[in-house]
Amino acid sequence: MDVRMQIAMVFHLDKCIGCHTCSIACKNIWTDRKGAEYMWWNNVETKPGTGYPTRWEDQENYHGGWEVKDGKLRLKSTGKLRTVFNIYHNPSMPTMDDYYEPWTYDYQTLFNAPQGDDQPTARPLSMVTGKPMDIEAGPNWDDDLGGSPIYAEHDLNLKGLTPDQQAQLSAVERLVYFYFPRICNHCLNPSCVAACPSGALYKRGEDGIVLLDQKRCRGWRACVAACPYKKVYFNWSTGKSEKCILCFPRLETGQAPACFHSCVGRIRYLGAILYDAERIEETARRPNEELVEAHRSLILDPHDPVVIDAARRNGIHDSVIDSAQRSPVYKFVKTWKIALPPHIEYRTLPMLFYVPPMSPVMANQNGNTISHAADGLFHDIDQCRLPLKFLANLFGAGNEEMVRYALRKQKAVRWYRRALTVGDVTMELAGRMLKEADSSVEEAEAIYQLTSLCTFEDRFVIPPMHREEALQMLEDPLVNKQSSGFGFVAGPRRGM
């Protein structure tokens, strides 16, 4: 057992209100400069929708992530031979049209417009050519366009849905969508790291954050093609790739990442988990239907004495183990099993998990009366507005059981709280639903507390980074005394 620590995240999609505050906070801190205009390390999409860049989930086109061939794990985008042929042109790379052409406005036409009867307007100017342009797309172009024939109908997660189910999604009276915020997943098996010919990308040993050494990067952009989530970007001004760094300078000082800190809906949770690094490759090679459970099994119980001993032998500090024991991520993913990884079939083993959203309650209008479509308080999980298959394609590699389990438990918690606070549901019925959902009153209370009444300290359990110990593994810490807190002072080499 090779126990390591990873900073992991959970996004609770039922709480996301699509305000984009997270995106703006990230943009203003990290990508507000030349060459990074089009980069959104954090973006919020609408599902069903095509996302940013367009149809990023289409790996038949982009060839991102890993695949199992002849029993071995291999990158879909590149290989020893293909690196040579793709070195100057990679056909799987997204283009500017797949992102969008960044623009600004000619504000002088507003400030200096002469007095007249018409309203002055600021024309959009391309930030690439400087010339006037017609805006055709943006990073959140499909915002609130669930059901549209341009965006929603081209969502790849609709694969496998019956024609009736697809028609249901665009029917006016049954229209449904939800917001899907995305950042780099800081995967356990990152394909961007494996694909980089320069060895510029690396995964920090002390916390698992995936970083990119700007000194080593040579702009080959193999990382852009290899990342199936398209969360590595190329800066055309500097000729280097860039990506989300999970605000590691903030984490090292005990602060939550900017997008987490600014989240209005308080959907984001962050904490440490312990995992078994020996089983990463074996897990990534499992069949699609077993991937979610195998991925979950990598996460170790931080209360288990055997795990604690192994962690200490690997140099993990007791304060980090204590943080792992209080981690909200561990509760959502491992204890309650209601948070699932996005597109686990790409086999990068993402460390960002999502609590799938409950669909709105379905109702009928008869004259001036609106009544529930279902006999009970909430509709049945299998009859929700958003077909279960759609969520399964997004969070379960097509396996509906994992999503059904998570939604059923969330529904049971709602019934329990309804019985407790409103009283129009009997506690006997609520207890029976909890039992059927593999839950209990104690667990329902814990889920309710961490979902609805959580404090800042409950959502973000940030372990001490112990940079002094990480530096000891590389060089004399006294030499690097003034550099502590801002990452490696020298580029790490492969194999470290």
Side-chain angles (χ1 to χ4, degrees), residues 37 96 101-103 124-134 236:
E37 297 90 350
M96 185 186 291
E101 186 171 349
W103 74 89
L125 300 177
S126 168
M127 296 184 76
V128 178
T129 64
K131 297 178 180 177
M133 61 174 282
D134 293 324
W236 56 267

Side-chain angles (χ1 to χ4, degrees), residues 86-108:
N86 293 340
I87 199 162
Y88 294 113
H89 172 67
N90 190 328
S92 304
M93 199 80 70
T95 66
M96 185 186 291
D97 291 339
D98 297 315
Y99 294 101
Y100 70 100
E101 186 171 349
W103 74 89
T104 184
Y105 292 96
D106 181 10
Y107 293 105
Q108 293 303 315

Side-chain angles (χ1 to χ4, degrees), residues 151-453:
Y151 299 101
E153 285 187 13
H154 292 93
D155 191 316
L156 293 173
N157 297 299
L158 298 174
K159 185 179 180 182
L161 271 65
T162 64
D164 288 343
Q165 286 176 320
Q166 295 194 29
Q168 163 194 327
L169 282 170
S170 57
V172 173
E173 69 275 12
R174 294 171 68 97
L175 188 65
V176 62
Y177 63 86
F178 63 93
Y179 297 110
F180 188 51
R182 299 202 299 123
I183 65 172
C184 170
N185 298 320
H186 297 279
C187 308
L188 286 185
N189 186 33
S191 51
C192 57
V193 174
C196 179
S198 308
L201 278 143
Y202 60 99
K203 192 170 174 65
R204 293 211 304 187
E206 60 265 42
D207 54 20
I209 297 175
V210 177
L211 296 177
L212 201 157
D213 188 336
Q214 293 283 297
K215 291 180 181 176
R216 281 177 171 255
C217 180
R218 295 293 177 266
W220 298 117
R221 285 174 277 181
C223 50
V224 179
C227 174
Y229 304 96
K230 292 294 168 274
K231 277 299 171 188
V232 188
Y233 304 88
F234 179 70
N235 186 314
W236 56 267
S237 177
T238 63
K240 309 281 187 180
S241 293
E242 298 181 13
K243 66 178 291 300
C244 161
I245 59 173
L246 202 59
C247 288
F248 73 84
R250 290 175 61 92
L251 284 177
E252 289 175 357
T253 54
Q255 303 177 73
C259 58
F260 286 67
H261 199 143
S262 62
C263 180
V264 174
R266 297 188 293 180
I267 75 163
R268 301 177 181 228
Y269 301 80
L270 183 139
I273 59 166
L274 303 178
Y275 69 97
D276 186 2
E278 275 185 359
R279 295 181 48 233
I280 288 178
E281 185 179 352
E282 169 213 330
T283 302
R285 281 193 280 112
R286 299 287 278 274
N288 278 1
E289 57 274 17
E290 299 175 11
L291 274 173
V292 173
E293 194 54 48
H295 187 204
R296 194 178 280 152
S297 72
L298 272 181
I299 301 172
L300 302 171
D301 182 358
H303 299 278
D304 187 338
V306 177
V307 173
I308 293 173
D309 287 343
R312 286 173 177 158
R313 284 198 301 275
N314 262 11
I316 298 176
H317 198 276
D318 281 352
S319 59
V320 176
I321 297 172
D322 175 65
S323 296
Q325 291 172 341
R326 295 182 289 110
S327 169
V329 177
Y330 183 83
K331 293 173 185 172
F332 274 112
V333 177
K334 188 81 173 184
T335 307
W336 304 330
K337 300 180 180 178
I338 58 175
L340 300 166
H343 288 298
I344 188 70
E345 69 273 18
Y346 301 159
R347 301 175 193 279
T348 61
L349 307 181
M351 280 290 106
L352 167 57
F353 301 84
Y354 292 88
V355 177
M358 301 280 288
S359 294
V361 173
M362 292 173 62
N364 295 322
Q365 183 173 4
N366 297 313
N368 294 325
T369 306
I370 296 176
S371 54
H372 287 171
D375 294 334
L377 190 60
F378 298 114
H379 54 78
D380 188 74
I381 294 299
D382 288 294
Q383 297 174 343
C384 61
R385 285 198 206 180
L386 201 60
L388 207 59
K389 183 65 178 173
F390 180 87
L391 292 174
N393 287 339
L394 187 55
F395 299 118
N399 185 358
E400 295 183 23
E401 279 310 307
M402 297 292 175
V403 179
R404 184 180 286 109
Y405 180 91
L407 293 179
R408 185 174 289 167
K409 185 171 283 192
Q410 290 184 75
K411 179 184 173 183
V413 173
R414 287 190 180 187
W415 278 75
Y416 165 72
R417 289 302 306 177
R418 184 87 180 190
L420 204 62
T421 56
V422 180
D424 57 351
V425 176
T426 65
M427 190 56 76
E428 181 185 1
L429 176 60
R432 192 167 69 244
M433 289 193 67
L434 285 172
K435 190 175 181 180
E436 290 174 356
D438 189 29
S439 188
S440 63
V441 171
E442 293 76 19
E443 186 178 87
E445 280 293 338
I447 293 175
Y448 169 68
Q449 290 290 327
L450 196 54
T451 303
S452 303
L453 303 178

